[in-house]
Amino acid sequence: MAASRYRRFLRLCEEWPVEETRQPRDLGSFLRQRVAQAFREGENTPISDPEACDQMYESLVRIHTNFYKNKYPRLKDTTFTGVTVEDCRTILATDILKQMEGIKKGTWKRLREKFSAKKPEEDLK
């Protein structure tokens, strides 16, 4: 039985897309890591709680197949702010978030970093 569960999870991992723009935070890559951890011995891995394993698989399949998106369709593909799905993807890209880290700093901190002789990391020591 563990072999069939392992194969189902592998098939799900193959179908799940990996989004390169969110590499360290991508659900597809996280799923692959967790499956590799859970099934360290491959098909021979003993499963302590088969019911929980099956529930996890079914939940992931519902997410992957957009079960709830199809069950409860939205009237518009925007949020209340008017931001589209594509805009959200762009904003949540890793490189954009790194750029935003510089903007998030307060004015005082930016001025202190700009005019300070030592690096900000040295202040923390």
Side-chain angles (χ1 to χ4, degrees):
M1 230 23 215
S4 65
R5 285 184 177 93
Y6 176 65
R7 283 188 221 113
R8 289 190 319 175
F9 273 101
L10 282 182
R11 199 172 322 117
L12 182 63
C13 286
E14 288 173 3
E15 292 174 3
W16 204 291
V18 175
E19 203 160 329
E20 296 297 326
T21 60
R22 290 190 241 166
Q23 195 48 36
R25 304 170 294 115
D26 182 50
L27 186 58
S29 58
F30 178 76
L31 176 64
R32 286 167 178 74
Q33 291 172 355
R34 290 297 303 239
V35 168
Q37 288 174 354
F39 293 97
R40 287 187 182 129
E41 299 173 24
E43 294 181 353
N44 299 326
T45 303
I47 297 175
S48 60
D49 191 359
E51 290 179 12
C53 182
D54 292 340
Q55 281 182 331
M56 181 71 66
Y57 175 76
E58 293 301 324
S59 296
L60 289 169
V61 166
R62 283 193 297 270
I63 292 170
H64 177 62
T65 59
N66 291 324
F67 176 80
Y68 293 106
K69 179 182 178 187
N70 297 331
K71 186 175 180 179
Y72 304 106
R74 298 176 60 153
L75 299 176
K76 297 180 181 180
D77 285 336
T78 61
T79 62
F80 73 96
T81 60
V83 178
T84 64
V85 174
E86 194 56 43
D87 292 339
C88 287
R89 282 196 180 119
T90 303
I91 291 168
L92 292 175
T94 302
D95 54 340
I96 299 295
L97 289 176
K98 285 181 182 176
Q99 290 176 3
M100 295 294 285
E101 286 298 317
I103 296 172
K104 283 183 183 177
K105 293 180 183 176
T107 306
W108 180 251
K109 189 170 185 174
R110 278 187 280 155
L111 286 172
R112 195 175 88 200
E113 287 177 359
K114 188 173 183 176
F115 295 111
S116 178
K118 55 185 176 179
K119 294 181 182 176
E121 295 85 29
E122 294 174 4
D123 278 345
L124 298 174
K125 292 182 182 176

